[in-house]
Amino acid sequence: MAEEAEIGKISDAKLPVSSRHPLEIAALVTDYTLSNPDTLTKYKTAAQISHKVLDAVTGWCVEGAKVVSICERGDKLLEEEIAKVYKGKKIVKGVAHPTTVSPSSYVTPYTPLTSDTEEAEVTLKPAEIIKIQLGAQIDGFGTIVCDSIRIPSEKDKDSETPAREADLMLATHYANELLIRLMLPPGLLASGTDEEKKQAAAEKPITQSKMNSLLEKVVKSFDCNLIESTTSWLFERNEIEGKKKIILAPGTGVKGEGSPEVGEVWGVEMGVTTGNGKVKKLDDKRSTLHRRTTTTYQLKRPSSRQTLSEIVKKFSTFPFSLRQLDDERAAKVGIVECVRSGVVREYEVVAESDAEPVARIFTTIAITKNGITRLAAPPTLDVTKYKTENKITDEEILKILEQPVSRSTGSKNKNKKKKKPAKKAANEGGESSEEK
């Protein structure tokens, strides 16, 4: 993957095909869009791995479990499952996002190091809401998923989830469902005459300002707030932060760019809190999650060059933890110049400013002519388990929640029991009918 990435950097469109590197020629003639069935197959294969590992990691998250141990086990399982697919083929594959387990008030993915004694001792607390994030990639097509769960308490196994925590989980769930529906291109699932469909398709995409307005209404229905600058990105091959982005609750001077279109893959993030939604950097926490950038720089220190070489070889431009490098302690030294020179980006550890609980969901979606396909998504929330007096009452929002995200393309699920519509679930607390 390192060689392929470097080839891409020095590519010159004016060079004749005969003068190009074989990998470069392959990149020129291969269709990496969703129009190529192989692309969607690779995304779905990666997603199956992401789902399997998320399910396993969720089961390991119990009271008293060490966060670093869970992350290590998750990464090991990711690597084992990835090794089982596309055997013997010249396809680069790997981890699209390391296993991270973020405590209650943390906003960003968190993955401690074994060499940081104090951090390595962090354990999961009973009744705490945590965020699990991870992902796999096949041939550069990454599928990342994040789920928020409540750590079971041994003392109160049968007790109901407290109302405020129920508010948080429901607000996050419905806000995420609304966002995904708002990302549907205009007229994509329109019905009626050809003329009516044409008129629907000619409508302008919903603005990000309107998205924010509707989503704020959802979370405030449960007395919660959106997390500042929660960002969804366009995914591309070997790139999880593409040219387009949707920013929720944007900070000063920050705005999103572009609208979702057919043929695109997006990483959709939803972050909600019972606090005020503002965030702050935790200065006493080391940044352990990093990602290589496209910046080039001649590193001066041998340790820095060795660290960067290993990063390029193992992770290309996908996020990684210093834990995953061969020598964790050496990596802590070598990464400093890499970050300072801009060839590697560090993800600061950020938390809700009032240390209030935070819930996050991350879904990888594909937008096709038939609507939205959830490639990698957390399990659908069983809303019947969360009791609160709060509910969504806005008719415009309820109407949107009732809409499907894709059209039926066959009779596979003809005999499947029909679930209660999302609108009814939002009003009554019944099971919702989100398509996966």
Side-chain angles (χ1 to χ4, degrees), residues 299-311:
L299 298 171
K300 297 176 176 60
R301 296 173 62 92
S303 61
S304 304
R305 292 196 294 270
Q306 183 178 346
T307 298
L308 181 60
S309 176
E310 187 179 356
I311 291 169

Side-chain angles (χ1 to χ4, degrees), residues 95-98 111 288-292 307 311-312 314-325 331 335 344-345 347:
V95 175
H97 194 287
T111 174
T288 62
L289 191 66
H290 297 78
R291 180 172 176 256
R292 183 167 68 91
T307 298
I311 291 169
V312 171
K314 286 185 173 181
F315 311 110
S316 183
T317 55
F318 288 99
F320 63 91
S321 166
L322 295 182
R323 248 188 323 97
Q324 295 171 289
L325 299 177
I335 201 69
V344 170
R345 168 191 170 188
Y347 291 83

